[in-house]
Amino acid sequence: MVIKARTIPLKLLILAAILRRLPLSHQNYQAILDEFKRREAGYQGEVSLDYYLRSLPQEKYLILHDLNLPDGNYICQIDTFLLTPEFGLIIDVKNMAGKLIFDTENEQFIQINNDKEKGYPDPIAQAERHKAFIKKWLAANGFPPVPIDYMVVISNPYATYMVSGPNARKVKPRVCKADAFLSKIQFFEKMYSSSLLSPKELRKICRLLVKMNTPPTKFLLEKFDIKQSELLTGVLGPCCNYLPLIRKKQQWYCPRCDKYFVDAHITALMDYFLLFDMKITNRQFREFCHLDSIHTAKRLLMLSGKVNYSGIKKGRVYYPKAFPW
């Protein structure tokens, strides 16, 4: 059963928002663009895995996609987490071409493609950190010590891989191509056969994990050394990305296209939630969208259909009904 459905990952949405709002002259713009392209390919790989996930018994497997769990200044980002009464399984999907090498001796992950060699963060070391985080979190919340394991799935059907080093014997059963995913699941089912979590505990774990899910805004801005003050404000033109659009005749006017738009501020509102905060006041909305009227800002927020609110008058704050939308 899918508990948290797959949507475009928050990190991918945040990177796209950064690219929309960061000056092209920024020293890290190209690095952010490269990261965006890599994560976009990764997302397509995750989507392709859904073909196999749907074959899992729905009554047994609880599926949560794209978890972003805060751990101090670090974000524990999990592509997919499977939870059963017997065990939990962290799944990391790699949609990469060429030959992939898992070097367990030096904790390196290397891609060789078109005679070029490139290193990436080690997914095995990352999975071990995420495994430790989930186990610690379960214990802190009073749940039984259910086993947590991991699997790295290579979704590119033309890629090859090898596992080397002293821990190869341990790692090999936890790495596979996508078409071997279901047979690998049997490896974990045989290893962990004792039921430890009740249906009530399973529901509670899922509910708490979804509640914890947090946009990794701060993490990504700090990673690329971006200050929020460097991000451009205003409403973007839907056709040409002109910035900022002008509020005119109760619509958004683009001088470059000479066109009017009704709901262009919806994307700006999403960008604010992704890059600044998960709540916004009337004043902050006016400043971000370059609006003069308190009443216009209130009307646009209320009619957007995207937000709820709490508080009254100057103390009112707006927050998304669902995120992302």
Side-chain angles (χ1 to χ4, degrees):
M1 179 188 300
V2 177
I3 302 299
K4 184 176 182 294
R6 189 185 303 286
T7 58
I8 299 175
L10 285 173
K11 282 188 177 180
L12 190 57
L13 288 173
I14 291 169
L15 288 168
I18 291 173
L19 291 171
R20 284 194 291 270
R21 303 225 166 238
L22 195 66
L24 292 173
S25 58
H26 192 279
Q27 60 182 354
N28 288 329
Y29 190 92
Q30 185 59 47
I32 299 165
L33 182 59
D34 292 342
E35 175 90 353
F36 173 81
K37 290 178 179 178
R38 183 175 68 82
R39 288 193 175 276
E40 188 175 40
Y43 172 56
Q44 296 304 319
E46 294 169 31
V47 170
S48 69
L49 185 64
D50 288 345
Y51 175 81
Y52 302 98
L53 288 172
R54 68 183 183 181
S55 298
L56 294 174
Q58 290 195 13
E59 67 281 1
K60 178 178 180 179
Y61 283 87
L62 304 180
I63 305 172
L64 299 98
H65 294 298
D66 189 34
L67 288 173
N68 292 268
L69 310 175
D71 181 17
N73 293 325
Y74 176 71
I75 288 289
C76 174
Q77 193 274 327
I78 298 174
D79 292 343
T80 297
F81 184 56
L82 303 183
L83 186 62
T84 76
E86 296 81 19
F87 63 94
L89 188 63
I90 296 164
I91 299 177
D92 185 15
V93 182
K94 297 297 178 189
N95 185 16
M96 303 171 73
K99 183 177 182 179
L100 308 178
I101 302 172
F102 296 82
D103 178 359
T104 65
E105 181 175 8
N106 301 298
E107 292 191 348
Q108 294 185 117
F109 179 54
I110 302 165
Q111 178 192 38
I112 301 175
N113 191 34
N114 295 326
D115 297 323
K116 293 182 179 179
E117 184 174 309
K118 187 174 182 180
Y120 291 92
D122 179 21
I124 304 302
Q126 176 180 273
E128 290 285 358
R129 289 195 301 270
H130 292 172
K131 172 183 170 179
F133 172 83
I134 294 291
K135 289 175 72 71
K136 182 180 177 181
W137 179 83
L138 288 169
N141 284 275
F143 293 107
V146 59
I148 303 296
D149 219 312
Y150 63 87
M151 185 188 302
V152 178
V153 181
I154 300 166
S155 60
N156 188 323
Y158 305 106
T160 61
Y161 74 91
M162 65 173 291
V163 182
S164 65
N167 291 320
R169 187 173 180 180
K170 175 188 175 183
V171 170
K172 277 183 179 179
R174 292 166 171 83
V175 179
C176 71
K177 301 289 286 292
D179 55 5
F181 172 77
L182 293 175
S183 62
K184 284 289 185 179
I185 286 290
Q186 296 175 8
F187 166 80
F188 296 102
E189 289 182 337
K190 291 177 181 178
M191 185 182 298
Y192 308 118
S193 56
S194 299
S195 182
L196 298 171
L197 294 172
S198 68
K200 183 178 179 180
E201 287 170 325
L202 288 166
R203 290 193 299 270
K204 185 177 180 181
I205 291 172
C206 290
R207 185 172 67 251
L208 291 176
L209 288 175
V210 171
K211 187 176 180 180
M212 280 178 64
N213 197 53
T214 305
T217 299
K218 183 179 179 183
F219 170 77
L220 284 172
L221 292 178
E222 289 181 351
K223 177 180 178 180
F224 292 105
D225 193 25
I226 299 169
K227 299 180 179 62
Q228 287 181 329
S229 59
E230 295 178 285
L231 299 170
L232 302 173
T233 60
V235 175
L236 281 159
C239 295
C240 64
N241 286 336
Y242 179 85
L243 185 73
L245 298 188
I246 302 166
R247 191 67 185 171
K248 189 176 179 181
K249 297 179 181 179
Q250 297 187 336
Q251 297 183 79
W252 297 102
Y253 174 68
C254 177
R256 180 181 293 170
C257 298
D258 191 28
K259 292 181 180 178
Y260 287 88
F261 304 93
V262 176
D263 296 327
H265 59 282
I266 298 294
T267 299
L269 187 60
M270 170 73 91
D271 285 354
Y272 187 92
F273 289 143
L274 288 168
L275 300 174
F276 290 87
D277 199 351
M278 287 296 289
K279 60 183 183 297
I280 191 170
T281 65
N282 184 294
R283 180 177 180 177
Q284 289 167 333
F285 183 62
R286 279 182 282 132
E287 291 175 350
F288 191 71
C289 292
H290 300 187
L291 290 166
D292 296 323
S293 169
I294 293 175
H295 302 294
T296 297
K298 180 181 178 180
R299 182 170 55 83
L300 290 176
L301 284 165
M302 296 296 288
L303 294 178
S304 70
K306 303 297 184 183
V307 297
N308 286 323
Y309 65 86
S310 62
I312 59 173
K313 296 183 179 180
K314 291 185 178 180
R316 176 171 290 184
V317 294
Y318 301 85
Y319 52 91
K321 289 181 180 179
F323 198 80
W325 57 68

